[in-house]
Amino acid sequence: MLSLPERNSLLSPLEWLWLAAVAVLALRPVGDFDTYWQLQSGRYMWETQTLITADTFSLAAQAPRLEHCWLHDLLLQAVYATGGLTLLSLLLPVVVATCAALLLCWNLRRVGSPAVVLPVLTLCLIASEPSWAIRPQLWTFLFSLLYLQLLSRGREEGWRAWGWLPVIMLPWCNLHAGCVLGLVLIGLFWCGELWRCLRGRSSRRSLGQLALAGTVTLAAAFVNPFGWRIPLGQLWAHANQFQVQAGLAEVELLGNMEWLPPTFATVPFFYLVFGLWALLLLLRRRRLDPAEAIFFLAFAYMGFGQVRHTTLVSLLAGCYLPAGCGELTSRLPGTRLRFVPAAALARWGSIACLVALVALRAGHGTIGWGEERTLLPAAATDFVTERKLPANLYNAYDWGGYLMWRLYPDYLVFVDGRQDSREHFLAADTIDNAKPGWEQLLADSGVNTLLIRTCYYDTGEPLALVTALSRNPAWALVYRDEVALVYVRRDAAGGSPELAALPPREAFRTMLAEASRLYAEDAGRHPALLAMGRASFQLGDAAAARGYYQRYLEIDPKSREAGMALQRLGGQ
């Protein structure tokens, strides 16, 4: 431990300002796709006083469902019932700011200098920001930080710190199946303590206390409505990572972008965090804490294995990086950061970085509260309910949660982000890509209304279904805006004058608007250029279409669609 002056337990005004900037950065409208099916689940359980055990809100209503985040669902419903989506928007900044405060106070006690702590924690928080959403993993973020700090404190406090581990596990295992990580953290820390014990730096008594705390915590993880299936079942589920990396997983896992390994282009700050951590471990190898080294290896395995883990492990790295940086800076000959102008620059630079990020997010419209209407089909859903369009409904995969919240029980969704029905997931893949048999699949499910998007959200790739529908006389386009399309089967519309069909090419105005927005948000969505080219071509703008296709060919010279399209356009 470094020799540092004692700090006042109260945070300084500058540190409070830093926390406030973090909270504002986390303030955003409720737009995450999964939040809405969790809201609907909470409402259903509250009204029926029963747990969800099947995919009740979809056409695959008999598919089994393990609602591992049932307590989180009920909490969301309670907040929503109290203050609507506006109050619900505040839940995210409260939890994120609490995580930031835990990291800040922990590291200030260990390092002392905010000139070291604030910049490093800012990096860790920015790396974790892509996962800031009102989803149950928020609780895993919070409780994992608490576990790491309690495990470390237990070296001096023993059972007074470790005794809280099973207590925290009781809500955690009912809020999110990620509670299994708590058990993993205890096991990894115990391995580190075993190494310290063998080297005479810890006692067998301490090792036994930790083993006892871990055993009681494991028992506490079974105190949930689903018993062993929460902690042990999730361990088995994460074994799918090996199948995903080998390309042998089920198609619904291969189609989930979160299960794929990361790249520097997608999560650059994760690479910066772990590159810095690896460097610090190398420079401090002679005074290395075994637990920190073990956590580094485990977190690196998690992060480099699946992109979904990069944000969590970047946040957890904040428990160790500031201390490592503080130890090295204290060794610099003749300098102490807190006594030089660089200290003020580091402190205020951290706040300025967060403020700049807030301004950037505000410019993109992602800072705010209430309902996110630019990413969700709010107006199209209003149209469906007001016109009482015929059931059943086919919908975009990532809108399933929002639509079940808005439309149940009048409509059941076809597919949603929970992926409980393999049959429906594969059917949706066939329909979205207009593969042979797509029309029959819709007919077999009794689908008479389609509420769809025009591009895949993750990649920006255009949906072949839109082109197929524009050529299919059995379906009428009855509504479009810059977010969604609504089609109705003509023989089910009943000839209502309120459902006058729009020209089929109007669908491509939506495609052009959506693809442009997706590409503006993330230039890595290169297939959005294909969507813009296809839409411009269908709308008669040959010059724009040629430009989009040429830009895409520069990225993917082997693109068959872009090459053939340019040949056609060149002949005009």
Side-chain angles (χ1 to χ4, degrees), residues 191-359:
C191 291
E193 290 303 281
L194 176 61
W195 178 255
R196 293 177 75 240
C197 182
L198 293 176
R199 298 185 63 121
R201 296 167 57 190
S202 182
S203 66
R204 293 184 179 181
R205 181 173 181 273
S206 177
L207 204 61
Q209 285 183 338
L210 181 57
L212 177 59
T215 302
V216 177
T217 303
L218 175 62
F222 286 73
V223 184
N224 67 80
F226 306 101
W228 65 269
R229 288 183 293 174
I230 293 297
L232 302 185
Q234 289 305 306
L235 277 177
W236 175 256
H238 283 282
N240 287 321
Q241 175 177 332
F242 299 108
Q243 296 176 298
V244 172
Q245 292 174 333
L248 302 174
E250 303 287 359
V251 66
E252 56 266 40
L253 293 182
L254 290 174
N256 191 330
M257 303 293 287
E258 292 183 347
W259 288 80
L260 301 178
T263 64
F264 183 82
T266 55
V267 284
F269 290 104
F270 160 73
Y271 282 82
L272 292 176
V273 166
F274 272 78
L276 175 61
W277 198 357
L279 178 62
L280 291 174
L281 289 174
L282 181 63
L283 295 175
R284 297 158 50 233
R285 57 188 179 277
R286 294 182 179 178
R287 301 178 59 185
L288 199 59
D289 181 346
E292 180 182 353
I294 291 172
F295 283 138
F296 170 79
L297 293 174
F299 295 164
Y301 166 76
M302 291 172 61
F304 287 102
Q306 293 182 14
V307 69
R308 67 186 302 183
H309 294 146
T310 58
T311 52
L312 170 62
V313 296
S314 295
L315 185 71
L316 299 184
C319 288
Y320 292 97
L321 284 185
C325 290
E327 182 177 341
L328 289 180
T329 56
S330 67
R331 297 180 188 175
L332 294 177
T335 63
R336 302 279 293 195
L337 273 179
R338 56 182 176 273
F339 294 129
V340 296
L345 179 62
R347 293 193 297 267
W348 287 103
S350 303
I351 296 174
C353 182
L354 291 174
V355 171
L357 197 53
V358 168

Side-chain angles (χ1 to χ4, degrees), residues 155-495:
R155 286 175 171 172
E156 297 180 357
E157 301 178 19
W159 190 253
R160 286 183 299 164
W162 293 337
W164 284 101
L165 299 175
V167 175
I168 294 173
M169 180 56 69
L170 290 173
W172 191 359
C173 68
N174 290 282
L175 286 164
H176 188 220
C179 66
V180 67
L181 179 60
L183 303 175
V184 173
L185 293 178
I186 295 174
L188 294 175
F189 191 80
W190 188 89
C191 291
E193 290 303 281
L194 176 61
W195 178 255
R196 293 177 75 240
C197 182
L198 293 176
R199 298 185 63 121
R201 296 167 57 190
S202 182
S203 66
R204 293 184 179 181
R205 181 173 181 273
S206 177
L207 204 61
Q209 285 183 338
L210 181 57
L212 177 59
T215 302
V216 177
T217 303
L218 175 62
F222 286 73
V223 184
N224 67 80
F226 306 101
W228 65 269
R229 288 183 293 174
I230 293 297
L232 302 185
Q234 289 305 306
L235 277 177
W236 175 256
H238 283 282
N240 287 321
Q241 175 177 332
F242 299 108
Q243 296 176 298
V244 172
Q245 292 174 333
L248 302 174
E250 303 287 359
V251 66
E252 56 266 40
L253 293 182
L254 290 174
N256 191 330
M257 303 293 287
E258 292 183 347
W259 288 80
L260 301 178
T263 64
F264 183 82
T266 55
V267 284
F269 290 104
F270 160 73
Y271 282 82
L272 292 176
V273 166
F274 272 78
L276 175 61
W277 198 357
L279 178 62
L280 291 174
L281 289 174
L282 181 63
L283 295 175
R284 297 158 50 233
R285 57 188 179 277
R286 294 182 179 178
R287 301 178 59 185
L288 199 59
D289 181 346
E292 180 182 353
I294 291 172
F295 283 138
F296 170 79
L297 293 174
F299 295 164
Y301 166 76
M302 291 172 61
F304 287 102
Q306 293 182 14
V307 69
R308 67 186 302 183
H309 294 146
T310 58
T311 52
L312 170 62
V313 296
S314 295
L315 185 71
L316 299 184
C319 288
Y320 292 97
L321 284 185
C325 290
E327 182 177 341
L328 289 180
T329 56
S330 67
R331 297 180 188 175
L332 294 177
T335 63
R336 302 279 293 195
L337 273 179
R338 56 182 176 273
F339 294 129
V340 296
L345 179 62
R347 293 193 297 267
W348 287 103
S350 303
I351 296 174
C353 182
L354 291 174
V355 171
L357 197 53
V358 168
L360 179 65
R361 297 288 186 265
H364 290 155
T366 57
I367 298 292
W369 51 85
E371 182 181 8
E372 170 58 82
R373 297 183 69 88
T374 60
L375 299 179
L376 297 170
T381 307
D382 293 339
F383 181 87
V384 171
T385 56
E386 291 167 2
R387 299 299 196 280
K388 301 186 185 302
L389 299 187
N392 286 327
L393 178 74
Y394 179 80
N395 59 278
Y397 166 80
D398 42 11
W399 287 344
Y402 177 78
L403 293 175
M404 68 173 62
W405 180 66
R406 288 287 308 275
L407 299 176
Y408 183 83
D410 297 326
Y411 299 86
L412 300 178
V413 301
F414 191 93
V415 68
D416 64 86
R418 298 171 299 168
Q419 302 179 7
D420 287 326
S421 170
R422 173 179 169 82
E423 177 186 356
H424 275 241
F425 184 88
L426 295 175
D429 179 69
T430 297
I431 295 168
D432 284 346
N433 291 286
K435 296 177 182 178
W438 70 270
E439 296 164 290
Q440 189 59 48
L441 285 172
L442 291 174
D444 291 344
S445 297
V447 171
N448 292 305
T449 298
L450 311 177
L451 200 166
I452 59 173
R453 63 189 319 148
T454 61
C455 305
Y456 287 105
Y457 176 77
D458 289 331
T459 65
E461 180 182 356
L463 263 68
L465 177 62
V466 176
T467 302
L469 287 169
S470 69
R471 301 169 180 170
N472 192 316
W475 293 92
L477 176 65
V478 295
Y479 176 87
R480 64 155 295 272
D481 56 24
E482 294 194 349
V483 177
L485 302 174
V486 178
Y487 288 87
V488 172
R489 194 185 296 273
R490 290 185 186 274
D491 59 10

